[in-house]
Amino acid sequence: MGKDNFRGQLAIAASFFVLVLVICGGVAMGAAQKAAGSHSVFDVLTGAYFIQTEPVIVGAVSDYNDVFTVVNNSWQERNSRQHYYGDGIVLSSTPAATGDMVAAPESMAASGAAAADTAASPQGQSGSDPVFSDTNNQVATVDEGDIVKTDGHYIYTLSRNYVDGKTHYRLSIVKPAGKDTALLCKSEIYETNAVSGTGKTSVSYYDMFLDGSTLAVVSGATRSGSWPIYWSQVKTRVQLFDVSDPTSPKQVWEYAQNGNFNQARLMGGKLYLLSNYNVNTAPQADYPASYTPSYWEGNDQIVCAPQDISMMPVVDAPSYSVLGSIDLATRRSSGRLSVLGAAQTLYMSTKNIYLAATIRSEDEQIPAVGDSQNAREYSISNRTQITRVALDNGSFKVAAQGIVDGALLNQFSLDEYQGNLRLAVTVDKSTRRVYGGYELQDYSGPGAGAGPGAGASPGAGSAPEPTLATSVTPSASSRSNALYVLSPELKVIGSLTGLAESERIYSVRFMGNIGYMVTYRETDPLFAIDLANPTAPKLLDALKIPGFSTYLHPWGDKLLLGLGRGDSGGFWGFNGVKLSMFDVSDPKNVSEADVVYVPVSSTIALSNHKAVLADPGKNLIGFGDYQGHYRVYGYGDNGFVKLADLDLAGGKWDQHGSYYNYDSGSIRGLYIDDNLYVFCNAYLDVYNLKDFKPVQSLKLVDG
């Protein structure tokens, strides 16, 4: 057995031994350092709790020893609380080549390609520039990835189907021309029958980006094994294809980084990639790849250097936000940054990337208020920590960090404006009491019972038997919402708190100096908030109507489109999908100008803004439903107008497993000149925009 092989096997065996110790007795937590009314956070550097005051920029660590100390303490702390096995790094000293992920061949022959006389010329050289819709991006100049892309000259699609026990992924390239629309290329870029625990690789495709004649395809690749313990290695991968000849795309380069895919953006020819990497096997001090993210360029593995590693203010788990950037023109990596503390949310402006992570904090009061039994009362709340990463032509620099109360909904909860960051959060707070190492459950209300594992419940108001504090049982809780304005240093300079008690945020949109926020419990309050003075946000109006909007889209500068649900009752518990048009010409007097209920159970557009076609200039509002239809509306002086209810070819069932061909989550609509193109995984349907009559339908996958 070679030295490298032996080292890898020894590392796996060591990990297994550590996990056995965890199962048998757990790993001891560091000593707690607490004070009355303080905010306590686990310190991964010392293995103890410390008192959190002002957030500071932790910055780059000095060497791998610092990284190991942080990750190892955090790994042991987490495993003292729970037994964790999967989704870690493969402990092998031999760098894994991206060949493990079964790269597509250099030249992929077109399958079912159009005849030679329909082959188009290179991009941008086929007549006048077409007018077309883009991906529904949050920031106009920052492109977001999707499963359909177009430059007006060609349409690129990613499809998935399941045939003969294998999942197949296909890249299709289409020449859009109304009734003469032609399929130029249908190429299989991956097929897998990998089974978990076999050591084989399974791949899932997520996004595409188009930059000139380069198509970037983003996927996730997972390898896993089951001996002597279950392990897995997860990578986020980017394949670059030269599509200058749309009939025969060629893979020209491949890149990967550790972790599950989170988000990606394209700006100025640079592709920015975020993945979340969890270290779930025991870190080995002399093996940085066991506790530090790696990057791959082609077959070359690059372990992240210490100077490219930073930390969130609070690191409560051995996980990283892994950032990488790729120059699509030179086909080279241009920046790397790994931040300890995995972010759930990414927001990117033209100058910065903001990484946001929700953390749980506890404040302690000794003794508990109104109690004489030396009880300790803990106030528990959710908080959001944010790292601002400055961008410089593909390079990264941690510029600021901060913490605010509450949790974000999604990327639309964040917005950079005139150098400041505005964000909307839902704030949850609760309390619990501990008596001498035992926790008092809440019996204050009629019929209230003990928490999990506490045994039978005594009568309401009676003194309970003390139970071991094995779980948190809140004795009181509250919920409200807030809006904060943070300076470039991520310090709070303005706030508006206590909004919509007992409700949570369902959607947010910022339009210049005004922020709009929808919360919901029984009605749909649409809040309009004046942010002209960032140090003094002011509530202008709160419109209450039935239902709620999960997505808000500017419709010019005086209207705001809402897509959501009707009030309770009706179809599938709600009155269908609700389209609202809000008149925001006077933010002090917001009104619902019109509303229409679409009689469908749901739509992926409620949770994925990229599935929404919303174009005021073309007067088009489009989205797919779960019944194989594409719904099209317009808006005019008389309110909403139903333009079409299109029966998609991909929604039809057949004997070849159309369940896998029809994927309601993949429905996307786009227009090019006078035609509407609707993608539904297996098919691309074409309709005339004047009368919405079908003019062409292309089958993109076999089966």
Side-chain angles (χ1 to χ4, degrees), residues 57-80:
I57 300 177
V58 179
V61 297
S62 59
D63 56 36
Y64 281 126
N65 290 331
D66 285 348
V67 181
F68 174 76
T69 300
V70 173
V71 175
N72 190 52
N73 282 334
S74 182
W75 189 86
Q76 293 193 37
E77 201 303 13
R78 183 189 61 191
N79 281 279
S80 71

Side-chain angles (χ1 to χ4, degrees), residues 128-133 152 176 618 671-677 689:
S128 60
D129 290 334
V131 177
F132 61 95
S133 57
K618 206 77 170 179
Y671 68 81
I672 301 175
D673 291 333
D674 296 325
N675 293 289
L676 175 69
Y677 299 82
L689 273 178

Side-chain angles (χ1 to χ4, degrees), residues 178-181 675-676 685-688 691 693-697:
K179 64 181 179 60
D180 297 321
T181 296
N675 293 289
L676 175 69
D685 294 336
V686 188
Y687 302 89
N688 188 299
D691 53 17
K693 290 183 178 179
V695 295
Q696 178 63 286
S697 181

